[in-house]
Amino acid sequence: MTERPQISSIDPAEVAKFQAMAAEWWDPQGKFKPLHMLNPTRLEYVTTQIAAQFGRDRDADLPLEGLTVLDIGCGGGLMSEPLARLGATVTGADAAEGNIAIAKLHAEEQGLPIDYRATTSEALLAEGHSYDIVMALEIVEHVADPAEFIASCRDLVKPGGMLIQSTLNRTLRSFGAAIIGAEWVMRWLPKGTHDWHRFITPEELAAMTEATGLNVVDRCGMVFNPLGWSWSLSHRDLSVNYAMTALRD
């Protein structure tokens, strides 16, 4: 693959939003309440995809032992920690130093050896790192250049490895749920956390991902049920939140 110039995917305004909220990452009733609620469903999706690709038994004590995972845009470590508990060797990276400080402290309190770094995908690539699994969850809608960011993630995936992304679809339903519902009505997040125009459709995300040479093998919606106050996976409904798995040959 032709080497690309190192262009930062960081959008300083987007980083500043999450830096300001960093101290609340591990408060399940705070500004990251939606992610705490969503996390078990995200973990279900991620571990199912990893088990299928690497032939792992999810019922084993440490089903991810021996696998390296990069959680890019890790925030306070909500996904890094459970994957470390499942045996993975986890690197958590985030451009917001405040997020990394909180993530390090919490992991130390839990006795989890997670390698947290205040850095970017481009910097990790320049340092020569690569991983079995790269996760980019709820980040692609916040970067300056999604296509370039995905390309840098692809180059961080080892041959035979996988890239798992999740983001928000650009639909009227997502505007109602993520912005009107979560920000304006429920006030789970500060107004302006999301910009609907930066949301990405599954077709757009798949096209950008496959343009890097990765093979998209799964798309799955994550659906919130307000009656049961719970999340579930759905391969039929990708209208709001969704995840996508792609493999590298």
Side-chain angles (χ1 to χ4, degrees), residues 54-178:
F54 293 96
R56 298 305 179 94
D57 179 2
R58 294 175 65 209
D59 294 326
D61 290 338
L62 296 171
L64 306 187
E65 190 170 24
L67 295 175
T68 55
V69 177
L70 171 64
D71 184 5
I72 189 74
C74 65
L78 298 189
M79 280 292 288
S80 294
E81 288 200 5
L83 292 177
R85 289 192 178 94
L86 293 174
T89 299
V90 180
T91 298
D94 200 288
E97 292 186 4
N99 289 345
I100 292 299
I102 294 297
K104 283 183 176 180
L105 178 61
H106 198 271
E108 288 171 4
E109 291 172 346
Q110 303 298 311
L112 295 171
I114 299 170
D115 180 12
Y116 282 119
R117 304 181 181 205
T119 189
T120 65
S121 56
E122 295 87 1
L124 289 169
L125 187 59
E127 293 167 6
H129 297 286
S130 61
Y131 307 87
D132 296 310
I133 301 109
V134 174
M135 298 191 310
L137 309 181
E138 282 73 56
I139 181 177
V140 69
E141 71 271 23
H142 296 291
V143 301
D145 186 334
E148 187 66 30
F149 170 72
I150 294 168
S152 69
C153 289
R154 180 268 181 200
D155 290 346
L156 286 164
V157 178
K158 292 179 180 179
M162 65 199 315
L163 171 64
I164 302 176
Q165 303 175 81
S166 65
T167 189
L168 285 153
N169 198 348
R170 193 174 63 256
T171 62
L172 289 178
R173 280 190 63 188
S174 70
F175 185 87

Side-chain angles (χ1 to χ4, degrees), residues 45 135-143 145-151 153-154 163-170 198-222 238 240-247:
Y45 180 79
M135 298 191 310
L137 309 181
E138 282 73 56
I139 181 177
V140 69
E141 71 271 23
H142 296 291
V143 301
D145 186 334
E148 187 66 30
F149 170 72
I150 294 168
C153 289
R154 180 268 181 200
L163 171 64
I164 302 176
Q165 303 175 81
S166 65
T167 189
L168 285 153
N169 198 348
R170 193 174 63 256
R198 299 177 76 148
F199 291 2
I200 299 170
T201 69
E203 293 73 24
E204 291 167 345
L205 186 64
M208 287 187 284
T209 301
E210 293 191 331
T212 71
L214 293 172
N215 178 32
V216 173
V217 295
D218 190 76
R219 311 179 192 191
C220 187
M222 293 179 284
L238 282 69
V240 183
N241 297 77
Y242 68 94
M244 183 174 292
T245 297
L247 304 180

Side-chain angles (χ1 to χ4, degrees), residues 173-239:
R173 280 190 63 188
S174 70
F175 185 87
I179 297 178
I180 295 176
E183 295 184 18
W184 299 359
V185 178
M186 302 304 295
R187 298 185 180 179
W188 285 336
L189 295 167
K191 288 184 179 180
T193 298
H194 291 108
D195 180 349
W196 182 81
H197 296 93
R198 299 177 76 148
F199 291 2
I200 299 170
T201 69
E203 293 73 24
E204 291 167 345
L205 186 64
M208 287 187 284
T209 301
E210 293 191 331
T212 71
L214 293 172
N215 178 32
V216 173
V217 295
D218 190 76
R219 311 179 192 191
C220 187
M222 293 179 284
V223 181
F224 181 64
N225 178 2
L227 296 179
W229 211 246
S230 61
W231 289 85
S232 61
L233 297 173
S234 170
H235 280 92
R236 295 187 302 274
D237 186 355
L238 282 69
S239 61

